[in-house]
Amino acid sequence: MIQSGTKGEHLPPTAVMPDVVRELEVVICGDVRFDDKARALYATDASPYEIRPHGVVLPKHVDDIRHVVDIANRYGLAVLPRGGGTSLAGQTVAEAIVLDFSKYMTQVLELDLAAQTVKVEPGIVRDNLNTLLKPHALQFTPDISTTAQANVGGMVANNSAGTRSIKYGKSVDQVIAMTVMLADGSIVTLNELTDAELQVKLNQQSLEGEIYRTVHHVVNDHADEIEARYPKVMRRVGGYNLDEFTRGQPFNLAKLVSGSEGTLAIILDVTIKLYPVPKHKLLALVHFDSLEGALTAVKYVNEHGPSAVEILDDHLFNLGKQNPALAPLLSWLNGNPAAVLMVEFDGETEADMRAGLTAMQADVRVSQLAYYTYLATDAKEQEEVLEFRRGGLGIYATVKGDNKPVPFIEDSSIPVEHLPNYIPEVLAVCESYGVKAVIYAHASVGVIHIRPHLNLKDETGIQTFQAISEDVFKLVQKYGGSWSGEHGDGLIRSYQNKNLFGDVLYKDFQAIKHAFDPDNRLNPGKIVDAPAMTENLRYGTDYDTQTSQPISTYFDFSNDEGYLGAIEACTGVGKCRKTDTGTMCPSYMATRDEDHSTRGRANILREAISGRLPGGLTSKDVYEVLDLCLECKACKAECPSQVDMAKIKYEFLQHYYDDHGTPLSVQAIGSVAKLAPLAQKLAPLANAMLPLKSVRFLLDKVLKVDKRRVLPMYAEEDFATWFKRRQQTVETSAEPRPPVALFADTWTMYNEPEVGKAAVTVLEALGYAVELVSYGCCGRPQISKGLLKAVKPLAKKNVESLYPYVEQGVPVIGLEPSCVTAFTDDYQDLVPGEKTKAVGKHIKMIDQFLAKEWTQGKLKPEQVFHKNGTPMMLHGHCQQRASFGTSSTNALLTWISEDVHEVDSGCCGMAGSFGYGHHDVSMTIGEQRLFPAVREHCQHKDGAQGEVVACGFSCRHQIKDGTQVRAKHLVEVMAESLTDG
């Protein structure tokens, strides 16, 4: 608490910041970041709001937190506890010192299997916790859409619930106890108390005692008011949880801190209840031709004991079909339903699971409303459906332009019997303002997320924002609902708490806040005493991009509404903060720093363009956050908003060079295709020199190639020479063979011609006549380095070179994924045009081409290849996975092996030249999942040593450097399995 004469009492916060930073840097073991870049990174979350914090501390332990609270109190500064920053209501933005728990305080402290409880630090990610619990068949049940990035502490602070809340309840229902730090820096344990233990607490002459006395007084004196005013719905998370003390349960302040959004105390650890993972699950996807029919059916479906009932509407399906990562997850969709109820049943036995389904199917009230039901019984298929539903949060953000679906009325919870009336009335409100809206989410508990499309950069849009909120609030009151049903109050809904709970309880809320936090230091402005919902908007009418005209770009960003539009597509949901699955974002997974997430990069770029980051777009700060982007393109596929950070980075780099000059190291890497032919001619000399310490030292100093790396060796004979010589000796087939044109990349041509040789061998064995496309680098090295001026002429030349094959109908086949994606992806915006589009559609990876030929009945691989027992592990190239997937690669591997699996290895960490310049980060990325998987796979399995397949040249070299295992291209293992090979 602030005492008279504290250092910051009469000074504005900015005046004391240098002293604050100096003191923090002396005592904090974690990270202290008060720079402009960090303040910009933490100014937003997934809500429409933006408030610059004073700075950020990433604590390593409790002592760090105590120091922050002590220093903040002495200087009169607020403190904001924060986890993944995925809040949709603005809970995690404030003018405060942010405590980010997500990097270091992520441990499981105690696991009691007998009691089925676990104590964890607040920064652990929900999915990571459940991965650790999986061997014990236990789970922390709240399964929110941000489950792969949301921190458990944040989930408890927001009282998160998720899909299966109809069965398991909210986070508060799982909370048993917690250790918290109070506003004065004291640490207390909150748990269930007996009457005698409570009396001891009430008699304490301390801040803790004052808190107990205040809460005890409120819940005893106003129990009738609490009963009368609290909405009678399970999903009520607004205000403070006073109803947890009026139902006869033991007195437990942990229940009050749950859902308090960091306004009452700082959670240091939390003990939560776990539930067994059901052994059997199925999904019934019930299709309706009207939204009202689906809404009416919910109350009947609920009677049959489902574990989840979610609603998905036609807007979501239409957007999902356009998302390359999500479209494949919709194979179950039948026709064009107006809405689908995703109904989950589970049980310890299959009979238990089937009982609810059978009852629902026999319910004529449901069957008369629905027209089709699809049953997903396979676990993989179920997960795909659930992944599509989770992706709904961000899919809506793919809408281009300034009119975006805004989360502000989406969180109400209405008694399910009123949904058929409430939802149409809300949509009518939106329509009355000329606003479109989209819906989805938790039908079982009456939480239907409705998001109106609004332009919050426009005064009219902001006025409509508030007007719709006020009108819908009246409907929530009309139907006895809760204003906040899942996403909390924050900055967006707190303003209505007085109207919802009444004067008496609102004053009680204020009294409780004051008892816990006498000087209003903990996350002020949430739940009570909130600013207007139209203040502190991320955009707003004063949002200025500081540019008199749109940024002139080298890439075509017209489909994104310009370069800024491509950046603003990021809504902040933070899916790029995944840590143990998928590919996005490799450098975040390695560093756990917000700077190196796709969201962080988008925020910095937006701040730079808007003039709120010193130095503007081409500043060093922007360069630093983009430097560790591996250009894997995973964000383009895995980000629900399809933010294409690779393309954004390429564009930025050229502008950066325009202002600061192009470094020699960049020019050298970009020119690798020009240097390769010469180096190959001098292969014996080049290969002898590259491993030398002196040469590596020189390359490190001059070209920024880490001296711990050895650049790829060159072949004694280039591929083109081999191909020409071979063609002269191969007998011409008596029967005409279908022609294919092989595009040999630089690496195949000069470094690893054995890949090209294997491809020719395989193609000829399958009956094709192979023609070699005249060599020309695709320009990938230049694109990746942002040398867009230099690569444009090359791209145009390559399009002209390949277009005749399009006209002649001769398939063009590539071997290197990053080269093929240059044609299919990068060229489309670099040199757009009809020829570019035609070439992009025409060129295919060799596995894509052969898989299609096979499915069309043109190939009989069993006559050409022999299967063996060698286990095959596929590591998919990042850009291949993002742009066209690896299903074809997996399919071809089944031609030659009975044991094929693709590892969820993320990015290898090499990413072209990235690993040569960022060795430590690169190896950290590889060591997280890929390297251990390779080592395990290559151990002898049933007497057969496993093969590692990787189509990417850089992937194979990274695997070699990290594990000493030689990975092979797909065509190499296929060539080795030819029946006459």
Side-chain angles (χ1 to χ4, degrees):
M1 294 178 287
I2 290 189
Q3 304 296 325
S4 177
T6 53
K7 295 182 181 181
E9 187 175 11
H10 303 295
L11 296 173
T14 53
V16 301
M17 279 309 124
D19 294 335
V20 171
V21 174
R22 277 193 292 270
E23 289 196 35
L24 288 171
E25 288 179 339
V26 169
V27 296
I28 298 297
C29 293
D31 304 342
V32 176
R33 300 196 53 192
F34 279 64
D35 54 283
D36 290 324
K37 182 169 59 175
R39 295 180 65 221
L41 286 166
Y42 286 84
T44 60
D45 50 16
S47 75
Y49 296 99
E50 178 169 353
I51 303 176
R52 287 249 174 157
H54 299 310
V56 184
V57 174
L58 292 89
K60 284 193 172 180
H61 44 58
V62 172
D63 284 344
D64 278 355
I65 302 167
R66 184 185 286 109
H67 289 312
V68 169
V69 171
D70 174 58
I71 291 170
N73 281 336
R74 285 192 286 110
Y75 283 95
L77 304 175
V79 175
L80 166 62
R82 171 166 162 150
T86 60
S87 298
L88 287 161
Q91 292 96 324
T92 55
V93 293
E95 189 176 358
I97 298 176
V98 171
L99 284 168
D100 179 355
F101 293 97
S102 66
K103 184 173 182 178
Y104 298 118
M105 296 189 69
T106 61
Q107 300 303 305
V108 172
L109 302 176
E110 294 176 17
L111 175 59
D112 188 333
L113 294 177
Q116 295 189 345
T117 64
V118 66
K119 179 192 284 189
V120 298
E121 290 182 318
I124 191 168
V125 172
R126 186 263 187 185
D127 273 6
N128 292 357
L129 171 60
N130 279 357
T131 297
L132 295 171
L133 295 171
K134 190 174 181 179
H136 308 293
L138 294 172
Q139 61 176 329
F140 176 48
T141 55
D143 52 341
I144 56 180
S145 59
T146 53
T147 181
Q149 61 266 33
N151 293 181
V152 169
M155 292 175 65
V156 169
N158 275 3
N159 200 4
S160 299
T163 305
R164 298 181 177 91
S165 61
I166 190 174
K167 178 176 181 177
Y168 298 110
K170 308 183 294 288
S171 288
V172 66
D173 301 310
Q174 323 308 330
V175 169
I176 297 170
M178 60 177 68
T179 306
V180 302
M181 184 173 292
L182 301 178
D184 64 351
S186 59
I187 296 176
V188 298
T189 298
L190 307 178
N191 54 12
E192 290 187 355
L193 301 177
T194 64
D195 290 343
E197 290 169 333
L198 175 59
Q199 195 59 48
V200 171
K201 296 289 187 183
L202 293 171
N203 292 331
Q204 288 181 180
Q205 298 305 306
S206 61
L207 179 60
E208 182 185 12
E210 179 62 25
I211 290 167
Y212 273 96
R213 286 188 290 274
T214 300
V215 177
H216 188 261
H217 167 77
V218 164
V219 298
N220 277 279
D221 288 7
H222 296 149
D224 290 343
E225 188 75 4
I226 293 169
E227 175 62 25
R229 296 300 301 233
Y230 271 62
K232 302 303 183 287
V233 291
M234 187 269 283
R235 291 288 287 271
R236 193 278 314 150
V237 303
Y240 291 126
N241 293 329
L242 298 181
D243 51 343
E244 291 289 334
F245 299 86
T246 59
R247 301 171 185 168
Q249 340 61 323
F251 201 96
N252 185 355
L253 282 184
K255 301 290 189 177
L256 187 65
V257 173
S258 299
S260 65
E261 301 183 1
T263 63
L264 301 183
I266 300 169
I267 299 173
L268 305 179
D269 64 55
V270 58
T271 302
I272 47 182
K273 183 191 303 183
L274 303 175
Y275 283 87
V277 178
K279 294 178 181 177
H280 299 273
K281 290 181 184 177
L282 64 78
L283 291 179
L285 299 156
V286 189
H287 293 50
F288 298 84
D289 54 19
S290 75
L291 177 60
E292 286 193 41
L295 295 171
T296 302
V298 172
K299 61 183 177 182
Y300 307 133
V301 171
N302 280 356
E303 294 176 9
H304 304 297
S307 52
V309 184
E310 301 286 296
I311 192 166
L312 313 171
D313 79 339
D314 53 355
H315 295 284
L316 183 61
F317 297 136
N318 291 335
L319 286 171
K321 291 172 184 176
Q322 299 169 33
N323 186 302
L326 297 172
L329 309 181
L330 286 171
S331 59
W332 51 269
L333 200 63
N334 182 283
N336 296 296
V340 169
L341 291 182
M342 185 196 82
V343 186
E344 181 186 79
F345 293 97
D346 62 23
E348 282 300 295
T349 67
E350 185 167 356
D352 291 339
M353 174 190 70
R354 290 275 177 182
L357 172 67
T358 301
M360 184 189 75
Q361 290 177 320
D363 192 332
V364 294
R365 297 171 300 175
V366 177
S367 59
Q368 286 176 349
L369 293 166
Y371 73 82
Y372 173 76
T373 297
Y374 179 89
L375 296 183
T377 56
D378 176 72
K380 182 177 183 295
E381 187 176 31
Q382 290 175 26
E383 182 54 36
E384 288 177 349
V385 176
L386 291 169
E387 179 60 24
F388 177 79
R389 197 224 68 86
R390 293 186 198 110
L393 183 67
I395 295 175
Y396 289 132
T398 60
V399 176
K400 306 297 183 184
D402 290 334
N403 275 291
K404 301 284 190 184
V406 181
F408 66 109
I409 59 168
E410 95 287 6
D411 204 35
S412 59
S413 176
I414 305 298
V416 292
E417 62 270 19
H418 297 312
L419 285 178
N421 296 320
Y422 171 77
I423 296 301
E425 289 184 44
V426 173
L427 294 176
V429 167
C430 295
E431 187 176 348
S432 71
Y433 290 98
V435 171
K436 295 180 180 179
V438 291
I439 74 168
Y440 77 105
H442 317 301
S444 60
V445 287
V447 181
I448 307 293
H449 296 326
I450 303 177
R451 294 194 175 183
H453 289 229
L454 294 172
N455 179 5
L456 294 185
K457 298 177 182 177
D458 176 77
E459 180 63 37
T460 301
I462 294 171
Q463 291 174 357
T464 305
F465 175 57
Q466 181 163 353
I468 290 177
S469 176
E470 292 173 351
D471 288 354
V472 171
F473 177 76
K474 294 173 185 175
L475 293 176
V476 171
Q477 287 186 304
K478 172 183 173 181
Y479 288 109
S482 171
W483 186 224
S484 299
E486 175 177 38
H487 298 152
D489 291 333
L491 294 169
I492 213 160
R493 279 178 289 275
S494 292
Y495 84 102
Q496 289 285 19
N497 275 340
K498 185 175 183 179
N499 292 325
L500 180 68
F501 292 99
D503 290 344
V504 172
L505 290 183
Y506 190 74
K507 288 179 181 177
D508 287 341
F509 290 169
Q510 290 176 312
I512 288 169
K513 167 66 174 172
H514 183 74
F516 272 92
D517 183 19
D519 295 305
N520 198 26
R521 294 280 175 251
L522 297 178
N523 199 13
K526 321 303 190 301
I527 300 181
V528 296
D529 304 319
M533 67 172 292
T534 53
E535 292 184 22
N536 305 304
L537 292 174
R538 183 186 302 190
Y539 297 115
T541 56
D542 60 346
Y543 179 69
D544 184 4
T545 62
Q546 301 291 306
T547 54
S548 58
Q549 57 186 8
I551 297 171
S552 178
T553 59
Y554 297 93
F555 275 105
D556 179 6
F557 283 90
S558 58
N559 289 334
D560 303 292
E561 303 286 329
Y563 190 55
L564 182 61
I567 294 163
E568 289 179 350
C570 174
T571 60
V573 297
K575 196 165 184 180
C576 44
R577 287 172 57 96
K578 295 181 299 183
T579 58
D580 63 353
T581 188
T583 303
M584 178 181 67
C585 179
S587 48
Y588 174 76
M589 293 184 187
T591 66
R592 301 295 177 91
D593 286 329
E594 179 73 12
D595 312 49
H596 306 306
S597 66
T598 303
R599 178 178 73 178
R601 294 179 182 116
N603 280 336
I604 288 295
L605 282 158
R606 181 172 44 78
E607 291 292 280
I609 292 175
S610 66
R612 290 180 283 190
L613 189 70
L617 176 61
T618 58
S619 69
K620 184 179 178 183
D621 280 341
V622 180
Y623 181 87
E624 287 176 347
V625 298
L626 286 169
D627 187 40
L628 291 192
C629 169
L630 283 81
E631 303 160 14
C632 63
K633 296 183 183 284
C635 50
K636 188 172 182 178
E638 295 179 26
C639 170
S641 304
Q642 295 178 269
V643 174
D644 189 350
M645 192 52 65
K647 179 182 173 184
I648 291 169
K649 177 182 177 179
Y650 303 149
E651 184 70 36
F652 161 79
L653 286 174
Q654 183 63 78
H655 289 269
Y656 187 81
Y657 304 147
D658 289 345
D659 283 1
H660 301 282
T662 307
L664 176 61
S665 58
V666 170
Q667 295 179 41
I669 297 295
S671 301
V672 66
K674 295 180 181 178
L675 298 173
L678 174 61
Q680 188 277 320
K681 296 297 183 187
L682 303 173
L685 178 61
N687 293 343
M689 293 183 64
L690 287 173
L692 297 177
K693 287 186 178 180
S694 57
V695 173
R696 284 187 281 141
F697 178 83
L698 183 64
L699 290 173
D700 191 323
K701 294 298 180 184
V702 178
L703 300 183
K704 310 301 181 186
V705 174
D706 194 284
K707 59 180 176 291
R708 289 167 288 184
R709 295 279 193 182
V710 177
L711 289 173
M713 299 290 151
Y714 291 92
E716 295 292 332
E717 180 183 50
D718 67 67
F719 177 61
T721 301
W722 173 88
F723 186 85
K724 182 178 180 180
R725 179 166 48 79
R726 185 174 185 277
Q727 294 301 96
Q728 292 172 349
T729 60
V730 173
E731 294 183 8
T732 304
S733 174
E735 296 182 7
R737 291 178 163 219
V740 294
L742 182 63
F743 179 89
D745 54 274
T746 300
W747 322 116
T748 299
M749 188 65 74
Y750 299 110
N751 298 91
E752 294 186 353
E754 57 270 23
V755 173
K757 295 174 185 178
V760 172
T761 303
V762 168
L763 287 167
E764 289 183 346
L766 288 168
Y768 297 98
V770 182
E771 174 185 342
L772 184 62
V773 176
S774 297
Y775 172 69
C777 177
C778 68
R780 169 59 61 200
Q782 292 164 303
I783 295 172
S784 67
K785 287 298 180 181
L787 298 171
L788 305 186
K789 289 180 182 177
V791 80
K792 272 200 172 191
L794 177 61
K796 290 178 180 177
K797 180 182 177 182
N798 283 334
V799 169
E800 292 295 333
S801 175
L802 293 188
Y803 190 69
Y805 294 106
V806 178
E807 294 179 306
Q808 297 162 20
V810 176
V812 179
I813 296 172
L815 301 173
E816 172 60 36
S818 63
C819 294
V820 174
T821 60
F823 286 96
T824 62
D825 187 12
D826 302 301
Y827 280 18
Q828 304 305 309
D829 296 318
L830 186 63
V831 288
E834 290 305 314
K835 286 186 176 180
T836 303
K837 188 183 297 184
V839 169
K841 289 181 177 180
H842 194 70
I843 189 170
K844 297 286 188 291
M845 280 288 294
I846 191 167
D847 54 294
Q848 288 181 291
F849 169 73
L850 292 178
K852 186 175 181 180
E853 295 281 283
W854 180 38
T855 57
Q856 291 179 347
K858 297 178 183 179
L859 299 179
K860 294 184 178 180
E862 66 278 4
Q863 297 178 0
V864 180
F865 301 97
H866 61 82
K867 277 194 179 184
N868 55 51
T870 303
M872 298 280 177
M873 185 185 85
L874 172 65
H875 164 72
H877 185 281
C878 293
Q879 293 190 359
Q880 180 181 7
R881 283 197 298 254
S883 296
F884 35 79
T886 55
S887 58
S888 296
T889 320
N890 280 290
L892 266 61
L893 285 173
T894 64
W895 293 0
I896 62 173
S897 175
E898 299 283 358
D899 185 352
V900 176
H901 79 280
E902 181 173 3
V903 64
D904 181 13
S905 49
C907 179
C908 71
M910 181 60 87
S913 64
F914 179 89
Y916 292 109
H918 303 86
H919 180 268
D920 292 333
V921 173
S922 170
M923 298 305 282
T924 298
I925 292 169
E927 200 61 65
Q928 287 182 312
R929 284 180 283 160
L930 176 59
F931 295 168
V934 169
R935 295 184 191 111
E936 180 181 358
H937 178 75
C938 288
Q939 293 174 350
H940 287 277
K941 180 180 178 182
D942 298 329
Q945 189 170 11
E947 292 273 22
V948 178
V949 177
C951 291
F953 175 81
S954 60
C955 300
R956 296 193 294 276
H957 281 258
Q958 175 78 335
I959 291 169
K960 178 68 173 177
D961 285 356
T963 67
Q964 288 71 57
V965 171
R966 180 181 178 264
K968 296 177 181 178
H969 193 288
L970 167 69
V971 294
E972 292 183 278
V973 293
M974 292 180 72
E976 291 168 359
S977 297
L978 289 168
T979 53
D980 58 351

